[in-house]
């Protein structure tokens, strides 16, 4: 692991790592990642987040079955879509191959972190504001520790079934499941659309720099 990586280097190289080794991860590293998550801001500092660390093989397999079923529901849309901004068709195809791999091996990741909100955490477009900063901290902390991770939300197509598998109470809601493991690939720069395409000055459409 590289503890000397700078914050901006981590941000620029935190790729979605979908190919993970099944090797176990020391609990101390997972705890460090979760402590980073709880340093994130949340609405009103309410800290309604809850995290489920899933290591049980049977529970992971049950989740993977729903994850794969959701993939089959969305597969045609994935393949028909154009390459994401900043990516070529070849890069898109590599991404799809990695997505296929993760779908088949989701349950083999040594740890799944399920990120939830509990209680009066709001609804609508603002609800995620109290959990997604913690999610980003998880991804960056994993990167700093040399661990691969990726944000997934596909399970939400079968949310009630996954909630039951995880034993969630009525007022708890999952937002993402993050598989974490030592990466089979290598970290590298992310590819994104140029800043000028997504940034405006003062008003929508105003040229930025």
């Amino acid at each position: 692991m590289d503890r000397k990586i700078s914050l901006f280097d981590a941000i620029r190289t935190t790729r979605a790592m979908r190919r993970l080794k099944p090797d176990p991860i020391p609990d101390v590293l997972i705890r460090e990642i979760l402590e980073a998550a709880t340093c994130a801001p949340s609405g009103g500092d309410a800290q309604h987040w809850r995290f489920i660390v899933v290591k049980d093989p049977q529970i992971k397999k049950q989740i993977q079955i729903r994850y794969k079923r959701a993939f089959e529901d969305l597969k045609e849309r994935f393949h028909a879509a154009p390459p994401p901004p900043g990516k070529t068709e070849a890069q898109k195809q590599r991404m799809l191959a990695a997505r296929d791999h993760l779908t088949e091996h989701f349950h083999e990741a040594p740890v799944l972190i399920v990120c939830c909100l509990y209680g009066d955490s709001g609804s609508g477009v603002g609800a995620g504001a109290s959990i997604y900063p913690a999610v980003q901290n998880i991804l960056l902390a994993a990167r700093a520790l040399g661990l691969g991770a990726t944000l997934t939300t596909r399970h939400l197509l079968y949310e009630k079934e996954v909630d039951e598998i995880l034993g969630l109470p009525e007022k708890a809601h999952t937002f993402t499941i993050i598989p974490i493991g030592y990466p089979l690939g290598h970290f590298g720069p992310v590819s994104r659309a140029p800043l000028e395409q997504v940034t405006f000055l003062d008003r929508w459409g105003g040229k930025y720099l």
Side-chain angles (χ1 to χ4, degrees):
M1 80 186 85
D2 184 1
R3 296 296 192 114
K4 295 181 180 179
I5 186 170
S6 74
L7 172 62
F8 283 97
D9 284 342
I11 290 171
R12 293 181 178 120
T13 60
T14 300
R15 295 168 50 190
M17 302 301 280
R18 299 183 176 94
R19 300 179 187 271
L20 305 172
K21 299 176 183 178
D23 305 26
I25 301 171
D27 290 335
V28 65
L29 298 187
I30 297 302
R31 183 177 182 87
E32 192 166 0
I33 289 170
L34 292 170
E35 287 176 344
T38 61
C39 291
S42 62
D45 198 23
Q47 302 171 50
H48 287 303
W49 47 54
R50 299 293 185 270
F51 307 99
I52 305 174
V53 178
V54 183
K55 297 196 289 185
D56 184 294
Q58 293 184 352
I59 295 176
K60 289 192 293 182
K61 181 60 180 177
Q62 290 181 62
I63 296 173
Q64 186 266 347
I65 290 171
R66 278 74 183 178
Y67 190 77
K68 184 174 181 179
R69 191 190 306 163
F71 176 73
E72 295 301 327
D73 294 342
L74 299 170
K75 191 173 183 178
E76 288 188 15
R77 186 189 308 174
F78 288 154
H79 285 272
K87 289 184 172 61
T88 65
E89 179 63 28
Q91 287 175 308
K92 173 195 166 182
Q93 293 304 320
R94 288 196 295 271
M95 182 181 71
L96 290 176
R99 188 173 289 170
D100 291 349
H101 178 89
L102 179 62
T103 299
E104 295 295 332
H105 299 275
F106 194 76
H107 57 298
E108 295 174 9
V111 173
L112 303 178
I113 296 181
V114 185
C115 302
C116 312
L117 287 179
Y118 178 70
D120 184 19
S121 54
S123 61
V125 295
S130 288
I131 188 63
Y132 282 116
V135 170
Q136 181 67 358
N137 276 12
I138 288 173
L139 298 175
L140 290 173
R143 169 68 186 93
L145 294 170
L147 295 167
T150 186
L151 186 163
T152 74
T153 59
R154 201 189 305 160
H155 74 283
L156 293 173
L157 271 68
Y158 295 95
E159 183 177 8
K160 290 183 178 179
E161 293 182 28
V162 174
D163 287 355
E164 184 175 348
I165 292 167
L166 295 170
L168 262 66
E170 183 178 349
K171 291 185 178 182
H173 302 280
T174 65
F175 279 73
T176 179
I177 299 178
I178 304 174
I180 296 181
Y182 293 103
L184 283 168
H186 301 285
F187 294 104
V190 298
S191 53
R192 298 292 187 266
L195 190 63
E196 292 75 17
Q197 289 185 14
V198 297
T199 309
F200 307 124
L201 181 63
D202 294 328
R203 294 171 60 88
W204 189 278
K207 187 175 180 181
Y208 178 75
L209 300 182

